Amino acid sequence: MLQRIRDRSTSWGAKIIIGAVIATMALFGVDSLVGLLSSGGDDVATVNGQSITRQQVEMEVQRAIRSGQVPPEQERQLRGQVLDQLIRTSLLDQYAEKGGLHLSESQLDNLIVTLPEFQDQEGNFSRELFKNRLASAGYTPLAFRAQLRDDMQRQQLQQGLSASEFMLDDEQQQLAALQNQTRRYRYQQLDASDLAEAPQVSEADLEAYYQDHRDDYQRPEQVRLAYLVLDRSELADQVEVDEAQLRSLYAERASEAERRVSHIMLTFGDQRSREEAVARLEKVEQRLAAGESFASLAQEVSDDTSTSDSGGDLGVISRGFFGEAFENAVYSLDQGQVSDIVETDNGLHLLKVTEIEIPSFEDLRGELRDQAALADVDDLFNERVQQLIDESFAADDLASIASDVGVELQTSDWVSADGAEGVLAEPGVMDAAFTQDVLEEGFNSEVIELDEDRRLVLRVRDHRPATTLALDEVRERVSAAVERLKVQQALTSLAKERVAALRDGSAQVADWQQVESATRQNGGDVPAAVNALAFRLPNPEGEAPVYGQTAVQNGVALVALDAVQEGEASDATESRVAQLVERLRAQAAVSGLLEQLRNDAEIERL
């Protein structure tokens, strides 16, 4: 979402009312905002003394997983990438702040309310879209504003760097012509089956490769753990909930559910008095009582021309949109009921609830049962948490605590600080396992709050330090790596021989795969390395092809370049090339700046 915002937000419009954005912040609740801003976390790195916390890393990791950008099984690798990115952005943010780059609050407000991501079909800012899209991406409004401000300041910095670069017209035309160039070539892929015999792997080969790649066979410091997880939901599974509780909860939800509403509105003032408007609506009430259709009366009587043709339909509403009197009337009605006359700033209304947007009781039964059961075990859960805290502090094991608290004692296999899975991979768990008290002194850990419904305590059962695995322990991995390397080396030698033979005419290849009119960007189904080589080879002289070779996945490819068709520089291509070069030069400028900032910075990974 932020990338789309960056792409579209290149200019600032007129000043808008700040309150339109501030009002939406209330939809998320103050507690969540305070929690976000005040929750502490252990530092994982510092950049020129500025902390990057574990919480920051975890928030970005979970946002990436929640948005579907990264599958959950890649969570561990993602953490390292996220930390690297946070270090880079911290360097850029510090540089931008030092350089005096700034966005005002009004600029941010204007940007947010004009973003298409937050606009309804009529192009108006929608609080509902704003709320839902931020929530789905894992942002509160304040966090989103802070992220957006930082992103836009970085964009200002990049635009400033790219604006300092330029390209001559002749250069632009030459690049455009090269961009439109096409090439005709042939290629053949060689794999292990093309070798006369498979390469032999000796013990000496294994030993040499192992010694050269010892860092690839490191085993990190590891522990085996015993742990207990106290889960509120497991306590709730044991609770009996009666039907009356479920019906009561359903009624509460229905009373606050969104409603589809139609209205008949009469204004008063210049054309009619309030008394006249009341009298007319009273007649409408009589006609409704006599059985006439609300929709047809809305079309006939209502002064709201924007809804009268659709039977007075206002769409689905929720609290906070139409004022207290209007909403109190709507939320006092059941489906199909019509209100008494309601007065608002716009006029007088008769309101009808045409639909209450809530699933059926049976569809919600399971969810309602969980809600009731969780509420019923609040006190029991808090008691068990305190019991877990008290007993784990004094006990010399976890087995007795498991029995007392009524949870299962679980154990892990060998696991490293960054190699945990499941509940052990949650924030703070492995940190606790490697503290001095737990790892060296053998104590139980403090009780870790995983979330509002789960608590965990752990104990180290066994420990082994980091080490380089012996060759015998990784022999299969080393043997496979050496075999792949030797096959690739043999194929490279074979390819060189065939290319030499093709060049001097002493050999021919019959089974070429032909490629016509390939472009730099599109070689069809051709491996990317093959197409790239075809555009690196020099232009053929006369009818003689130009030959080359390149590594591809699981082998080597021979390439024969037959012809080059020079491209023409069109205005459209020149424009695209200019934009591409601008982006590349901007990236190079930012990369160069980052390298300098990194070299000058004090960066400590903790």
Side-chain angles (χ1 to χ4, degrees), residues 59-98:
M59 284 176 62
E60 295 302 325
V61 168
Q62 295 308 317
R63 281 172 182 157
I65 293 174
R66 186 175 181 180
S67 65
Q69 299 173 31
V70 178
E73 60 268 21
Q74 295 182 15
E75 182 174 342
R76 185 177 64 180
Q77 301 95 306
L78 179 61
R79 283 191 176 88
Q81 297 170 10
V82 166
L83 178 56
D84 290 340
Q85 179 61 32
L86 288 173
I87 289 173
R88 288 194 293 271
T89 56
S90 181
L91 288 168
L92 289 176
D93 290 345
Q94 292 175 18
Y95 183 79
E97 183 177 357
K98 185 177 179 181

Side-chain angles (χ1 to χ4, degrees), residues 1 23 39 49 75-76 95 101 122 168 213 228 237 278 288 364 371 392 403 409 414 421 463 480 506 521 535 592 604:
M1 179 169 62
S39 295
E75 182 174 342
R76 185 177 64 180
Y95 183 79
L101 295 180
E122 286 73 38
L168 298 175
H213 298 84
L228 307 175
D237 288 342
V278 169
L288 288 170
L364 287 178
Q371 180 184 345
S392 63
S403 177
L409 177 63
W414 290 109
E421 297 179 351
H463 168 248
S506 61
Q521 298 76 32
F535 278 88
E604 183 178 6

Side-chain angles (χ1 to χ4, degrees), residues 36-275:
L36 174 69
L37 296 175
S38 62
S39 295
D42 297 335
D43 292 348
V44 293
T46 60
V47 180
N48 293 324
Q50 178 178 313
S51 296
I52 296 175
T53 67
R54 190 174 306 280
Q55 183 190 29
Q56 289 176 276
V57 175
E58 290 303 321
M59 284 176 62
E60 295 302 325
V61 168
Q62 295 308 317
R63 281 172 182 157
I65 293 174
R66 186 175 181 180
S67 65
Q69 299 173 31
V70 178
E73 60 268 21
Q74 295 182 15
E75 182 174 342
R76 185 177 64 180
Q77 301 95 306
L78 179 61
R79 283 191 176 88
Q81 297 170 10
V82 166
L83 178 56
D84 290 340
Q85 179 61 32
L86 288 173
I87 289 173
R88 288 194 293 271
T89 56
S90 181
L91 288 168
L92 289 176
D93 290 345
Q94 292 175 18
Y95 183 79
E97 183 177 357
K98 185 177 179 181
L101 295 180
H102 175 71
L103 271 79
S104 69
E105 293 300 318
S106 61
Q107 285 176 313
L108 278 177
D109 293 331
N110 182 58
L111 174 58
I112 290 172
V113 299
T114 55
L115 288 172
E117 285 78 7
F118 303 140
Q119 292 178 352
D120 58 23
Q121 293 181 347
E122 286 73 38
N124 298 318
F125 176 76
S126 167
R127 290 181 289 180
E128 193 70 16
L129 280 175
F130 181 78
K131 176 182 71 173
N132 291 339
R133 293 199 168 174
L134 260 61
S136 66
Y139 284 94
T140 64
L142 287 180
F144 177 73
R145 285 173 67 85
Q147 179 77 57
L148 183 58
R149 181 193 301 277
D150 291 341
D151 281 356
M152 296 310 299
Q153 286 181 172
R154 292 180 206 123
Q155 186 185 70
Q156 282 185 340
L157 175 60
Q158 181 170 328
Q159 289 173 340
L161 291 171
S162 63
S164 64
E165 301 285 345
F166 66 93
M167 182 169 54
L168 298 175
D169 291 341
D170 287 347
E171 293 178 310
Q172 185 169 308
Q173 291 172 2
Q174 291 173 8
L175 285 173
L178 287 172
Q179 189 78 357
N180 287 339
Q181 186 185 85
T182 61
R183 296 195 171 198
R184 175 165 54 86
Y185 62 88
R186 295 161 286 150
Y187 73 100
Q188 179 192 58
Q189 294 193 73
L190 306 178
D191 57 31
S193 64
D194 291 292
L195 298 175
E197 59 181 19
Q200 298 300 308
V201 177
S202 67
E203 185 67 21
D205 293 329
L206 296 181
E207 182 65 35
Y209 185 90
Y210 172 77
Q211 293 299 332
D212 289 341
H213 298 84
R214 288 174 63 89
D215 289 347
D216 294 340
Y217 304 104
Q218 295 286 323
R219 184 186 67 204
E221 182 180 19
Q222 294 178 320
V223 291
R224 290 197 294 186
L225 302 173
Y227 60 97
L228 307 175
V229 178
L230 178 60
D231 191 330
R232 189 197 305 262
S233 63
E234 293 180 0
L235 295 177
D237 288 342
Q238 305 168 23
V239 172
E240 292 293 333
V241 179
D242 60 39
E243 189 76 5
Q245 282 181 279
L246 301 183
R247 295 287 178 182
S248 176
L249 285 174
Y250 185 78
E252 288 180 16
R253 290 204 184 186
S255 68
E256 293 300 315
E258 293 183 334
R259 284 151 158 72
R260 192 173 192 91
V261 177
S262 294
H263 78 148
I264 298 172
M265 183 183 78
L266 291 181
T267 60
F268 57 87
D270 295 337
Q271 295 185 351
R272 67 171 71 91
S273 66
R274 184 183 185 282
E275 291 73 18

Side-chain angles (χ1 to χ4, degrees), residues 317-573:
I317 73 165
S318 56
R319 289 192 184 275
F321 283 82
F322 289 94
E324 184 176 356
F326 190 100
E327 291 167 6
N328 287 343
V330 167
Y331 279 88
S332 68
L333 301 173
D334 288 329
Q335 185 169 323
Q337 288 185 325
V338 178
S339 71
D340 294 331
I341 297 173
V342 178
E343 183 171 353
T344 70
D345 292 341
N346 296 324
L348 301 178
H349 309 257
L350 290 177
L351 306 172
K352 180 178 181 179
V353 173
T354 58
E355 183 181 352
I356 297 178
E357 296 221 333
I358 184 173
S360 70
F361 174 77
E362 289 304 324
D363 287 342
L364 287 178
R365 177 183 286 276
E367 186 178 330
L368 294 170
R369 189 264 165 211
D370 291 343
Q371 180 184 345
L374 287 171
D376 286 348
V377 299
D378 269 351
D379 291 341
L380 176 60
F381 178 72
N382 291 332
E383 290 172 6
R384 295 282 177 89
V385 169
Q386 190 58 51
Q387 183 181 7
L388 186 63
I389 293 172
D390 294 341
E391 294 194 19
S392 63
F393 179 76
D396 292 329
D397 67 353
L398 290 181
S400 60
I401 303 174
S403 177
D404 291 346
V405 179
V407 296
E408 178 187 359
L409 177 63
Q410 303 182 61
T411 58
S412 78
D413 198 351
W414 290 109
V415 60
S416 62
D418 61 352
E421 297 179 351
V423 70
L424 297 180
E426 298 201 30
V429 175
M430 294 308 297
D431 290 338
F434 284 89
T435 59
Q436 181 177 348
D437 285 349
V438 177
L439 184 64
E440 298 178 13
E441 302 297 334
F443 296 143
N444 295 329
S445 73
E446 293 184 356
V447 174
I448 303 166
E449 182 176 343
L450 302 177
D451 53 43
E452 63 180 12
D453 292 327
R454 295 177 302 151
R455 303 292 186 272
L456 179 145
V457 62
L458 60 82
R459 184 182 186 90
V460 172
R461 296 189 298 132
D462 204 353
H463 168 248
R464 60 188 182 189
T467 186
T468 300
L469 295 170
L471 175 57
D472 286 342
E473 295 180 85
V474 293
R475 180 174 296 274
E476 288 187 7
R477 291 166 56 192
V478 173
S479 179
V482 173
E483 185 175 344
R484 287 193 300 270
L485 178 62
K486 282 185 166 289
V487 166
Q488 190 69 19
Q489 290 172 342
L491 288 173
T492 300
S493 297
L494 176 61
K496 287 180 179 178
E497 293 173 5
R498 292 194 178 182
V499 166
L502 287 167
R503 286 172 177 165
D504 64 22
S506 61
Q508 295 295 324
V509 175
D511 54 346
W512 292 106
Q513 297 187 61
Q514 186 71 44
V515 181
E516 301 284 349
S517 301
T519 66
R520 294 179 188 275
Q521 298 76 32
N522 184 13
D525 297 330
V526 177
V530 171
N531 199 61
L533 174 62
F535 278 88
R536 287 200 306 270
L537 292 173
N539 291 11
E541 296 182 1
E543 298 296 323
V546 177
Y547 297 100
Q549 68 184 67
T550 185
V552 294
Q553 187 174 9
N554 300 322
V556 178
L558 308 178
V559 177
L561 176 61
D562 294 316
V564 174
Q565 176 64 49
E566 296 299 337
E568 295 183 1
S570 66
D571 291 341
T573 304

